[in-house]
Amino acid sequence: MSAIITVGMSQLKTAKSPTQLAVYGIGSCVILSIYDADRKVGGLAHIMLPTSSGMDMSKSNHIKFADTAVPALINAVLDEGALRKGLEAKIFGGSEMFPPSEDFSNTIGRDNIEAVKDALKKYNIPLKSEDTGGTHGRSIEFDLSNGKVKVYIVGEDVREL
């Protein structure tokens, strides 16, 4: 059995086959996977918020934000041995875990999804698939030997993207 490396909130991790990367308990955060199938190299970024705009980035974790985490993950998988032309992405999460109150529109999950998609377009990384939105939490396991991601949702069959 291959090693499983867990990726925590606002973390980025890369690895090569046969390692697996996993995130457990995903809510409104978006998990971005980037993979090079030819090199069997990939990584995950656990993104909490859509934008770093207005933040003092000298005091902030740049993996926390979609606009800074996407280029960081691209560079990290390239440093791990991936080739730019072979990169493809998948995204997971972005749920609205709590109902909005009468004076608060809860859109952090949707905002995170859109911010990650916008950043992927900016860096010309194709989005191959996604399992996003809804009102339920998820967990994922990313197998770097084949690029497949297993998505676990309580009460549902495991999906593989």
Side-chain angles (χ1 to χ4, degrees), residues 67-81:
D67 62 336
T68 51
V70 172
L73 182 57
I74 292 167
N75 290 330
V77 296
L78 294 174
D79 289 347
E80 189 76 36

Side-chain angles (χ1 to χ4, degrees), residues 2-59:
S2 62
I4 298 177
I5 298 171
T6 303
V7 181
M9 201 173 290
S10 297
Q11 287 186 333
L12 174 156
K13 298 208 178 156
T14 61
K16 297 176 182 177
S17 175
T19 303
Q20 292 187 49
L21 299 171
V23 181
Y24 303 107
I26 307 161
S28 61
C29 293
V30 169
I31 308 307
L32 168 63
S33 74
I34 292 184
Y35 185 65
D36 177 338
D38 292 333
R39 299 287 178 116
K40 298 192 182 313
V41 173
L44 293 177
H46 191 148
I47 300 165
M48 292 178 60
L49 296 168
T51 181
S52 61
S53 178
M55 299 298 296
D56 179 354
M57 292 309 290
S58 68
K59 297 178 183 175

Side-chain angles (χ1 to χ4, degrees), residues 78-143:
L78 294 174
D79 289 347
E80 189 76 36
L83 298 178
R84 181 75 167 88
K85 67 179 181 169
L87 299 182
E88 60 185 27
K90 297 178 185 178
I91 60 173
F92 308 90
S95 294
E96 300 302 344
M97 299 301 293
F98 305 101
S101 66
E102 59 191 58
D103 60 350
F104 176 74
S105 178
N106 189 7
T107 64
I108 190 66
R110 184 181 68 220
D111 294 348
N112 283 339
I113 294 165
E114 291 308 313
V116 170
K117 286 180 177 181
D118 289 347
L120 288 170
K121 285 178 190 169
K122 178 180 177 181
Y123 292 97
N124 298 310
I125 304 295
L127 179 60
K128 184 175 180 182
S129 62
E130 66 181 283
D131 189 303
T132 58
T135 57
H136 49 271
R138 297 169 173 82
S139 293
I140 65 164
E141 293 176 348
F142 179 22
D143 186 344

